[in-house]
Amino acid sequence: METIVFIERDTLRAELRPPAFEHRWLDYGATRPEEVLERLTEATVAVVNKLPLRADVLAELPRLRLIAVAATGTDNIDLEFCRGRGIEVSNVTGYARHTLPEHVLMLALALRRNLFGYREDVRAGLWQTARQFCLHTREIHDLHGSTFGVVGHGALGRGVERLARAFGARVLVAERKGERAAREGRTPFAEVLSRSDVLSLHVPLNPETRGLVGRDEIALMKPTAVLINCARGGAVDEAALAEALREGRIAGAGVDVLSNEPPARGNPLLSLDLPNLIVTPHVAWASREAQQALADQLIENIEDFVLNSLESGV
């Protein structure tokens, strides 16, 4: 009988149907890193979201056969160790293909139209004392006719492209950074940075993408451009971005991810109080509909693994 242990149940607010095989299921709402080993000791299937499972812990879990990640990213798992030990790793894909692009477009619209700047002005009483019917204290730009740069063209990047085009934006899909020649349908990375009015990141976090956008890359961007990161916090040099925002070298930024989450030790972006910086707490993926799609696929992944194992006699 399989023992399934979900050590981060509170990260998923959706119904999980029971898998269609004999099993024992244990839930822990939240788990501290030092509790992981004890809670997974009897597990044959571990369900995790963001908690790291590194070689030192995995080596102490001889019963473990499957790590079912309740997310798309697997950078928290020691995949090399799992391959060597024969531990299967599954993840959930495509569940956020509608909700995350909507979040990106929400951030882009709010920044291009100076939504929070105007909200501040109204709260400060500036409209009430204006000499005309409208208060025009800040620039407003349309998405229609703008250039929307997409870095990372998987399901999420393609979803953002689809919505941006629906608004009438020109979309540039970036070639990988450092490539000498751009593939058909792609634009060189540096050119995308220099031409985009909105630059949106949709890359996984790996050695090639860590620090993908830093001080040099921000320097290539237009002073009227906005940067949106709903990918991984580590893809952006946050200190460089904070500096650029303070100095007005780009027009704004919207981020849903930070390099350390939760940012208990602070973050250079959280120290800023600017109407052209929007920080949301890693919720671009988290619509009710998307969470249920994630939950359903998570159970399907576990069922596929176990039922295939039974068929093969493993």
Side-chain angles (χ1 to χ4, degrees):
M1 183 172 67
E2 301 292 336
T3 298
I4 305 168
V5 183
F6 194 167
I7 57 175
E8 297 178 88
R9 182 63 176 91
D10 289 350
T11 64
L12 182 59
R13 296 188 175 186
E15 181 181 350
L16 284 166
R17 65 174 176 81
F21 54 81
E22 187 179 0
H23 67 279
R24 182 167 68 110
W25 186 291
L26 297 175
D27 275 334
Y28 294 97
T31 298
R32 296 190 300 270
E34 62 270 22
E35 297 174 322
V36 170
L37 180 57
E38 178 186 355
R39 291 182 173 182
L40 292 181
T41 298
E42 299 300 318
T44 57
V45 177
V47 184
V48 303
N49 192 319
K50 295 293 182 291
L51 275 171
L53 290 181
R54 305 303 182 195
D56 58 336
V57 170
L58 294 171
E60 301 295 321
L61 300 172
R63 292 172 53 85
L64 190 62
R65 303 198 301 137
L66 170 68
I67 300 170
V69 181
T72 298
T74 57
D75 48 284
N76 55 319
I77 310 297
D78 191 327
L79 298 177
E80 184 176 351
F81 181 91
C82 290
R83 283 191 289 268
R85 178 63 73 85
I87 300 171
E88 187 81 13
V89 178
S90 67
N91 66 337
V92 182
T93 62
Y95 68 92
R97 65 182 180 274
H98 301 301
T99 190
L100 188 139
E102 287 185 15
H103 198 91
V104 169
L105 268 290
M106 174 191 73
L107 293 174
L109 284 165
L111 291 165
R112 291 281 286 173
R113 304 197 70 80
N114 244 312
L115 176 66
F116 288 97
Y118 275 111
R119 184 169 181 256
E120 283 190 3
D121 291 346
V122 171
R123 282 184 164 184
L126 300 188
W127 192 18
Q128 294 88 317
T129 59
R131 293 185 177 183
Q132 56 186 18
F133 70 95
C134 71
L135 179 71
H136 194 190
T137 50
R138 303 170 190 265
E139 283 196 8
I140 297 172
H141 293 282
D142 297 333
L143 283 185
H144 185 276
S146 68
T147 299
F148 211 109
V150 176
V151 182
H153 202 230
L156 300 179
R158 292 193 299 272
V160 169
E161 178 185 12
R162 182 179 66 253
L163 292 185
R165 290 192 188 281
F167 273 89
R170 297 180 294 272
V171 176
L172 300 178
V173 178
E175 183 54 87
R176 292 189 182 94
K177 185 178 179 179
E179 293 290 335
R180 293 185 177 180
R183 289 166 285 175
E184 184 177 354
R186 304 288 180 105
T187 301
F189 180 78
E191 184 179 340
V192 171
L193 265 62
S194 64
R195 291 176 56 189
S196 293
D197 299 301
V198 179
L199 182 71
S200 189
L201 306 184
H202 303 283
V203 295
L205 186 62
N206 55 44
E208 288 71 38
T209 60
R210 187 174 293 278
L212 182 72
V213 176
R215 185 169 282 101
D216 292 342
E217 289 73 28
I218 293 172
L220 295 175
M221 296 175 65
K222 299 176 182 179
T224 55
V226 300
L227 172 65
I228 297 175
N229 184 15
C230 290
R232 285 290 184 266
V236 173
D237 181 335
E238 293 161 330
L241 177 57
E243 180 182 279
L245 289 167
R246 278 196 306 268
E247 297 177 359
R249 288 189 274 113
I250 62 171
V255 301
D256 185 56
V257 288
L258 295 175
S259 54
N260 288 295
E261 297 173 346
R265 296 186 299 276
N267 184 284
L269 294 174
L270 296 182
S271 67
L272 300 180
D273 183 15
L274 299 172
N276 60 339
L277 170 64
I278 305 172
V279 180
T280 54
H282 205 142
V283 290
W285 65 279
S287 71
R288 182 181 295 273
E289 295 83 359
Q291 290 198 60
Q292 192 57 58
L294 185 157
D296 294 343
Q297 191 180 147
L298 175 67
I299 297 300
E300 290 169 5
N301 287 345
I302 295 172
E303 286 178 333
D304 287 346
F305 171 80
V306 172
L307 297 177
N308 288 338
S309 296
L310 290 174
E311 290 177 4
S312 61
V314 177

